């Protein structure tokens, strides 16, 4: 694994579950900028894995659905097996994230600003979000801030960039949505340096139908508190 150019020192980890209609486009958008993409298919019953592979991603499969946290940890382990890996970016499979934001986050790691860069949809006005959903997510981040000591504006954003050092310190054990707070807690507990980066989340009709509903935001809050 790896290669001679700077881009080859970065793996993009894409947790994947039932996204056959969009994951090919997501992978195709990443590859010109991040040639190392691994999709972790978390027990999909559709053609997600085949579509991702056809688009040019490496694919690792879970035989059964374990949850997004488990998929991320599998992706982290895969990336750590590459001795040339310096950075990992986590990126959603449903088309919500912007590759330009991921590039900016990776550059901040490359410049030595921090061990971890968290994406935040609340640091600028690019992300259009209903007020109630915004309030629920802010409640979740307030709880995470209070319990982890890491003061973020957005703790449940799937777009992150992590250094190899950070990956070596973090181990996800909460397999579902509580993994986001677990990552934040481990960053704080292991005294890893961090910054936030303004990012845009595109709430399309497709992504809303796939789980970005108000109910899902409430579930994030509940899992954060009970996780």
């Amino acid at each position: 694994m790896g290669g001679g150019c700077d881009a080859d020192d970065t793996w993009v980890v894409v947790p994947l579950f039932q996204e056959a209609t969009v994951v090919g486009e997501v992978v195709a958008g990443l590859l010109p900028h991040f040639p190392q993409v691994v999709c972790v298919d978390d027990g999909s019953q559709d053609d997600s894995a085949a579509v991702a592979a056809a688009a040019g991603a490496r694919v690792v499969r879970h035989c059964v659905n374990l949850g997004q946290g488990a998929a991320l940890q599998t992706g982290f382990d895969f990336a750590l097996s590459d001795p040339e890996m310096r950075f990992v970016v986590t990126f959603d499979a449903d088309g919500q994230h912007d590759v330009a934001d991921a590039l900016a986050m990776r550059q901040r790691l490359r410049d030595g600003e921090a061990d971890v860069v968290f994406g935040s949809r609340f640091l600028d006005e690019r992300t259009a979000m209903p007020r109630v959903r915004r309030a629920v997510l802010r409640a979740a981040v307030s709880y995470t801030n209070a319990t982890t000591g890491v003061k973020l504006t957005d703790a449940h954003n799937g777009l992150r960039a992590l250094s190899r050092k950070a990956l070596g310190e973090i181990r996800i054990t909460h397999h579902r949505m509580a993994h986001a707070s677990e990552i934040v807690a481990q960053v704080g507990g292991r005294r890893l340096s961090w910054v936030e980066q303004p990012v845009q989340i595109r709430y399309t009709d497709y992504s809303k139908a796939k789980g970005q509903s108000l109910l899902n935001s409430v579930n994030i809050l509940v899992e954060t508190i009970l996780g």
Side-chain angles (χ1 to χ4, degrees):
M1 287 188 270
C5 68
D6 284 346
D8 286 345
D9 66 7
T10 304
W11 278 94
V12 178
V13 173
V14 181
L16 178 59
F17 181 68
Q18 309 282 65
E19 304 283 8
T21 59
V22 294
V23 68
E25 183 177 349
V26 170
V27 170
L30 284 165
L31 286 174
H33 309 281
F34 295 101
Q36 313 270 37
V37 177
V38 57
C39 292
V40 182
D41 182 64
D42 190 34
S44 296
Q45 298 301 307
D46 62 4
D47 292 329
S48 290
V51 172
R58 298 286 290 274
V59 176
V60 179
R61 300 196 70 175
H62 290 167
C63 294
V64 297
N65 179 247
L66 298 176
Q68 191 178 81
L72 284 173
Q73 187 59 56
T74 295
F76 291 172
D77 291 340
F78 182 91
L80 283 166
S81 72
D82 177 3
E84 297 182 28
M85 180 274 292
R86 294 179 60 207
F87 310 113
V88 160
V89 173
T90 65
F91 201 91
D92 286 353
D94 60 5
Q96 289 193 112
H97 292 156
D98 191 325
V99 175
D101 288 333
L103 287 166
M105 294 166 76
R106 195 269 303 273
Q107 188 60 48
R108 296 185 74 175
L109 293 182
R110 200 182 291 289
D111 290 343
E113 288 190 44
D115 299 312
V116 180
V117 182
F118 292 103
S120 175
R121 73 202 100 180
F122 299 121
L123 289 178
D124 63 22
E125 302 301 321
R126 289 180 293 161
T127 299
M129 188 187 309
R131 289 182 180 179
V132 176
R133 184 181 298 128
R134 182 181 295 267
V136 171
L137 289 173
R138 284 195 180 280
V141 77
S142 294
Y143 182 85
T144 298
N145 288 350
T147 56
T148 66
V150 178
K151 305 301 183 183
L152 299 177
T153 61
D154 189 356
H156 294 83
N157 193 318
L159 185 53
R160 312 173 189 86
L162 305 96
S163 68
R164 188 181 190 99
K165 173 187 173 182
L167 283 188
E169 297 284 338
I170 290 170
R171 189 79 193 174
I172 300 172
T173 61
H174 290 290
H175 289 175
R176 299 197 179 275
M177 297 312 296
H179 74 270
S181 295
E182 184 181 25
I183 291 172
V184 175
Q186 291 187 32
V187 167
R190 287 153 178 76
R191 300 186 182 278
L192 296 167
S193 59
W194 58 272
V195 293
E196 286 190 286
Q197 172 76 22
V199 301
Q200 180 179 16
I201 302 297
R202 301 187 190 92
Y203 290 103
T204 64
D205 290 341
Y206 174 83
S207 68
K208 291 175 186 176
K210 285 292 294 182
Q212 292 300 331
S213 63
L214 175 59
L215 177 60
N216 191 60
S217 298
V218 173
N219 287 339
I220 288 173
L221 176 59
V222 172
E223 282 200 37
T224 298
I225 294 172
L226 297 181

